[in-house]
Amino acid sequence: MAPSFDWWAKEGHRGTPVVVKMENPNWSMVELEGPSEEDFLIGDSPVRPRDKSRNKNAKQLTWVLLLKAHKAAGCLTSIASAMVSLGSLIKRRVRSGRTDTDVEVDVDGGRENENPTVKGRFYFCIKVFLWLSVLLLGFEMAAYFKGWHFGAPHLQLQYLLASPFGFKDIFDSLYSRWVLIRVEYLAPPLQFLANVCIVLFLIQSLDRLILCLGCFWIRFKKIKPIPKQDAIADLESGESGFFPMVLVQIPMCNEKEVYQQSIAAVCNLDWPKSKILIQVLDDSDDPTTQLLIKEEVNKWEQEGAHIVYRHRVIREGYKAGNLKSAMNCSYVKDYEFVAIFDADFQPTPDFLKRTVPHFKDNEKLGLVQARWSFVNKDENLLTRLQNINLAFHFEVEQQVNGVFINFFGFNGTAGVWRIKALEDAGGWLERTTVEDMDIAVRAHLHGWKFIFLNDVECQCELPESYEAYRKQQHRWHSGPMQLFRLCLPAIIRSNISIWKKFNMIFLFFLLRKLILPFYSFTLFCIILPMTMFIPEAELPAWVVCYIPATMSFLNILPAPKSFPFIVPYLLFENTMSVTKFNAMISGLFQLGSAYEWVVTKKSGRSSEGDLVSLAQKEPNHQRVASVPNLVEMKEELLQEKKAPKRKHNRIYTKELALAFLLLTASARSLLSAQGIHFYFLLFQGISFLLVGLDLIGYFHGTETLNKDGTASYCGAEEYFEGSTSIDININSYNYGAVGFGYGHDCMLQTSRLHVEPNKLKSGVI
């Protein structure tokens, strides 16, 4: 019912009563009346005295203010409880004492994850900046309280020139000398470096803007690769149509969480059985995992799938070596195309029918790349931020480069290659950790063209912990720098056009792989804090705030549902610049951590449809007869997962050191009254602090179901009233920070923890 706007014309009603209930018994109930017609009279009126009306309005205003104060008190209470919870969580992190400087042996690879010497050098430089900033902050605060109030640039020099030659005390003499040193020696080189980073920042922003305009043009014109009509007609004609021989490869290494769903998805591809061969390339060094994967292959082979299992005895070259070994099989010469899927990818049944037809009558086409989609993009804040990045990468970068220049970096999976193009480019090489980008660059130099299909998606999962994401990003940013050093002479000598050489050298490698992490880390994590202590060198507000906000807005356009996360995205990208900068330097100068290959940890996320289909097929399988004693091995593996192993989140020292550096710089910016700089440094410092304490992503933990019905997760016990109502599947045992509501049917999406209605008593996982 629409509200009435003629209520003041009614003589019998003198206001709209509003009942407000307060928690305080002394304020239990009060009636607030709306304005009457006398309230609208101007000046003195014989109808009603103005003083009485003013007193009445004052009383109403008083109660409204009391109500707002009550709400504010409630908000403050909630914030206080949240801060107490955060403080206790930080206390547990610090008490665990596990940091990223601890030497850890990778279970999958049997080697150290990162060179401690290389990490120590970088961390030492950050610590030096931190301690210098703390000392300078104390020095500046002492000067501030002694009357040295400086704000604008060059104000310090003018003050010194206008002051007499005599100084009051030793402190004034020291501080004046420090100001002169800043003006003469420190500010000019710092300002020059800041200007260089600003220019790089503007160039990169212009490149990002051009890519977005290209994406808008593609959408406006509805441009997309379309296969020839006769190829589609051949597919619809049945077995006699265009069905070339396709080899499908699934490389994997100790990925027992995801092998079933990926093999099942590939075996369900809609393609003639006589025209497809599936290779499961298992590089696992765990005997139990090997037997489980081999049994899965035997199961599908008995059901009629054309599938083989391959295991290398000598595991060299990581994924590139695995693929290279598989391509050396004698039967590969009978196949024309090869489709590659990583262990966590689940292609749809029509994947080959939507990709392979593009190759017909297009002899120079070497690669058809499909887009990734993510089954766990809403799992936690970390996966949401990754989804923003990858949505921009696929919909903007890959699509624009594919449409306008027919070149982009192969994503390593969810793509179909022409085997002749692979052989012409020299095959898979183990010289870098980005073998997919390596083969794409070499194929492009030999004249092969690529197509990106934005409307063909292949499901996979995102890393749910910061540790896994950090290792993945280190590999993705160190590998391109290794490749750039190795491929630069070949690019210069190649027969491609000057424009394509410029695009590959400057845009593809330098701007997007080197300059981006360099200026992100240098400008926002080093130069900006230093300008707070050396105010003679300054960064304009538009560099600190407006352009980064605009670029974040453009980045988030391909994922419009993520607009509420635009500020966390901006802060997190600057936070990740530490890892990316470190990886870029390692790859460029061939430092120890450049050649690390750590398999990204999977949690085995599946869509509900996959779970249902697997559950329906499960009773038809006879796995016991495939491998002797395999049932006992499965039971042992299940007992290992049920064992109450304690896993602690790490503390990342580099991120923590930078957090304190930025927070110290934000405190210094208060003395100069720099508002935008203060807020940016404050929130960026808090972002580094949260990441440094590993408070983003899921919490590592192992579930333990106790006899009294309590479930323990990494030391925190969650109480359930009925232990019989708890159904836990141990296939995935890493949980995110999810708050449960009371009296509801709670389901942790894909983490397989189900609680029946009204059985949950309390607790937060």
Side-chain angles (χ1 to χ4, degrees), residues 53-213:
S53 176
R54 290 177 179 176
N55 293 336
K56 183 178 179 181
N57 291 335
K59 180 187 290 187
Q60 294 175 359
L61 180 61
T62 302
W63 284 113
V64 171
L65 292 177
L66 287 174
L67 178 60
K68 292 187 176 295
H70 177 75
K71 292 182 178 180
C75 293
L76 290 176
T77 304
S78 302
I79 293 175
S81 61
M83 294 303 295
V84 170
S85 302
L86 181 62
S88 62
L89 187 59
I90 293 174
K91 184 178 179 181
R92 288 198 299 269
R93 290 283 192 277
V94 176
R95 185 184 299 175
S96 66
R98 186 178 183 182
T99 67
D100 59 337
T101 57
D102 299 335
V103 177
E104 178 181 311
V105 177
D106 183 24
V107 178
D108 298 335
R111 54 184 170 73
E112 293 181 3
N113 283 342
E114 204 170 336
N115 192 326
T117 305
V118 177
K119 292 173 59 178
R121 294 172 183 170
F122 189 53
Y123 178 50
F124 175 77
C125 295
I126 297 177
K127 283 198 301 183
V128 169
F129 277 107
L130 173 60
W131 287 114
L132 284 176
S133 66
V134 172
L135 292 175
L136 289 176
L137 177 61
F139 196 37
E140 294 288 344
M141 291 183 65
Y144 182 83
F145 287 110
K146 289 183 69 65
W148 294 74
H149 298 171
F150 307 127
H154 309 296
L155 182 60
Q156 294 85 347
L157 182 59
Q158 296 172 5
Y159 176 85
L160 288 176
L161 294 177
S163 62
F165 288 96
F167 295 98
K168 295 181 179 180
D169 52 23
I170 299 178
F171 180 83
D172 288 337
S173 176
L174 290 176
Y175 191 77
S176 62
R177 291 179 181 275
W178 162 242
V179 171
L180 288 174
I181 293 174
R182 283 190 340 217
V183 172
E184 296 293 334
Y185 301 104
L186 299 181
L190 182 61
Q191 187 65 61
F192 174 77
L193 183 59
N195 293 337
V196 170
C197 289
I198 290 173
V199 171
L200 297 178
F201 182 32
L202 293 177
I203 294 175
Q204 198 273 334
S205 300
L206 180 62
D207 172 66
R208 190 63 53 97
L209 180 61
I210 293 174
L211 287 174
C212 291
L213 292 177

Side-chain angles (χ1 to χ4, degrees), residues 670-726:
L670 285 177
L671 303 181
S672 301
Q674 295 173 289
I676 293 180
H677 297 72
F678 165 74
Y679 288 114
F680 183 87
L681 289 167
L682 176 64
F683 290 117
Q684 191 63 68
I686 294 175
S687 175
F688 270 103
L689 182 64
L690 295 177
V691 172
L693 294 173
D694 203 3
L695 297 178
I696 185 171
Y698 71 71
F699 299 125
H700 303 257
T702 304
E703 71 279 9
T704 304
L705 188 60
N706 303 325
K707 295 181 179 180
D708 57 352
T710 63
S712 302
Y713 296 89
C714 198
E717 294 188 345
E718 319 300 334
Y719 297 91
F720 301 89
E721 290 184 345
S723 60
T724 57
S725 66
I726 301 175

